[in-house]
Amino acid sequence: MRFITSLFLLLILQSLFSQSDYAKWEGSWKGQIQDPQALSLEVMATITAFNQYQIELVQDGKILLESPAKVDSGGIVEAKLGPLQFKGQCDEEGMLKYAFIRGLGCYEYSLPLTGQGKAWLGRWWPWHTPLMEPATVYIAIELSEGVPKIYPFFDEGRFPGTFATGFEEDAEGGIRFFDFLTGMEMKATLAENGMTLQWLVGDQVLTETSLTPFEGDFPVGFAYPDYAADPFQPKAIDQSFPAGVAKNLDPAPMQKMVKDIEAGTLTFTDAVLIAQEGKLIYENYFNGYGPENPHQVRSMQKSMASALAGVAIADGYISGVEAKMADYLPEKYLPLLKDDKRKSEISLYDLLTMSSGLDAIDFGIDRTSPGSEDQYQNTPDWTKTILSVPMINEPGAVANYSSANPALVGTMLHEATGKDLGMYQHEKLFHPLGIEAYVLQIAPDNQVYQGGGILMRPKDMLKFGQLYLNQGLWEGEQILPASWIEASMQNYLPLVNTNDKNGYGYYWWHRNYEINGKTIASVEARGAGGQYVFVIEELELVAVITSANYRNGRFFQPEIIMRDYILPAILK
């Protein structure tokens, strides 16, 4: 999503304060969390009777919040832990298979579980920055017409930022608010010689920090130890994705790539992973990232939305790509189609190929499209806003890159399946692939936003790409139909609002690379800032590159890395 593109995100004040003098709050503040592990919490789920659980939120052995929960007829167990929501899927014997937790924000966290008898334990680390020891926190406070606006952030380059909201003044004169992304609650209170910042879950204080006035510029650069492993000798990713050695790999181009990344010639590259013939042959991380750090994937998730649509078709929930969107919309949205009969003709195919015809164009035009992501995400009902925009093309005629299209696919999928899309996606796609420790972004309709926003480990992105190279087969199980893979990766229409007028499949980009007089065809899942999954069938190759080029215009840099370093190493 566009509102999480920077480390420093504006904290929007939603309520006015009765107190009028906030001059003492204004300025820059700095402090340290001496015990950052206090922000890492455990979730314990224990069977108390058949189909009954006790769910507990635990900090360093202390139970903070707890609630009983029953397993429903669909095997779902849900519990409220103060402001937190826990949900899990059980098998036929009532044993927990997987679980998620969500706070007040839009992030929903998958909880990798370890089981002991009839008890399961998962760890929830909201900001996924476990190497902060100690964690330095900064707050910038500005006054706008006498009302404070607060910008908190960590001195931590991998930290994805905050978007605080829900401000309210308490009886003690402090300001309570929460991070709209992670859902973590905070309270700032002026003290005699500074400010106190507390982290809370409901009324439970997790830890607090003393802040003092800070002079000078906030830090903008970060330095971390190099990733220690030999990138040419990677470890296996689970039992299903073995490590190997590429006999014909020329190490020189990859070594030059590392030097260029370290020199800043290749900017803000965080991970490079390569698999060939089903084996991991190269794995390297930069800027403090490592194998267990989830990374923003941005619009790369659109390709995963396409996969989920394929699952729903295979399961019989949707008739096929020819299905009309209007047949799979909640009834309350149908009146929005009456202003233009062409809206009723939009098919799933049109949405998957970015050719719905709606005036919902994210970039590349000299005006603001009313259905662009920046526009509809500022409204309470994204589907309503998107469906209310005018048509500018016939459905299926012209493709313009637009996040509104996968957002509508998500609406269709939820209506067709009647399922929680996060749980459905995990059951049908991520769980069979062994993908875990990821973070979902939830839209205002409480369903997973299909336009982008997942945080995921690069090694799990690699599994997703390998699934497509394998024609939907994983460990002997057909996760996606081979026919869906083939259809998804076809070149249907060019995206007219892109510089290269790229060919496009079902949320998969097409690009050709010219190497030593040879043309190499690549099909790619892409996300803003430089998040790429490359699938090159001719070379039996899958590669993942993650980056942080969100604001410098170098979102295309992974293509340079593929052209100038990876392919020359493979095709020596």
Side-chain angles (χ1 to χ4, degrees), residues 153-350:
F153 58 93
F154 287 120
D155 182 6
E156 165 60 56
R158 296 156 297 193
F159 174 58
T162 56
F163 185 85
T165 187
F167 288 82
E168 61 181 14
E169 188 178 32
D170 67 9
E172 300 171 351
I175 302 175
R176 288 194 63 150
F177 53 94
F178 65 91
D179 176 16
F180 180 68
L181 301 179
T182 65
M184 184 62 72
E185 299 172 80
M186 287 168 270
K187 176 182 175 180
T189 306
L190 276 181
E192 183 176 351
N193 297 315
M195 180 186 296
T196 299
L197 183 65
Q198 294 179 323
W199 281 261
L200 312 96
V201 174
D203 294 328
Q204 299 287 331
V205 178
L206 303 178
T207 189
E208 66 179 34
T209 307
S210 294
L211 305 172
T212 55
F214 170 71
E215 299 292 338
D217 297 329
F218 290 118
V220 295
F222 307 90
Y224 303 98
D226 294 332
Y227 183 65
D230 180 353
F232 296 99
Q233 297 287 334
K235 296 180 180 179
I237 300 176
D238 303 335
Q239 296 180 351
S240 57
F241 214 143
V245 177
K247 297 179 181 179
N248 297 320
L249 183 71
D250 182 357
M254 303 305 297
Q255 291 166 345
K256 185 177 186 302
M257 178 197 73
V258 172
K259 290 180 179 179
D260 289 344
I261 290 172
E262 292 173 344
T265 305
L266 295 171
T267 59
F268 304 119
T269 299
D270 297 327
V272 179
L273 288 76
I274 307 171
Q276 192 172 32
E277 298 179 353
K279 296 180 180 180
L280 184 65
I281 62 172
Y282 186 89
E283 181 180 22
N284 211 348
Y285 300 90
F286 310 90
N287 300 314
Y289 281 88
E292 300 306 319
N293 292 112
H295 199 284
Q296 298 183 52
V297 311
R298 300 298 181 95
S299 289
M300 184 192 294
Q301 185 185 348
K302 290 179 172 65
S303 304
M304 299 175 184
S306 165
L308 193 60
V311 169
I313 291 173
D315 285 348
Y317 290 112
I318 296 178
S319 58
V321 294
E322 73 286 347
K324 300 300 183 185
M325 174 186 69
D327 294 334
Y328 298 92
L329 287 178
E331 186 175 352
K332 66 179 180 179
Y333 295 125
L334 295 180
L336 300 174
L337 309 182
K338 294 180 179 179
D339 66 315
D340 191 324
K341 64 180 182 180
R342 291 178 295 178
K343 290 183 180 179
S344 296
E345 294 303 312
I346 296 172
S347 68
L348 177 59
Y349 168 87
D350 301 328

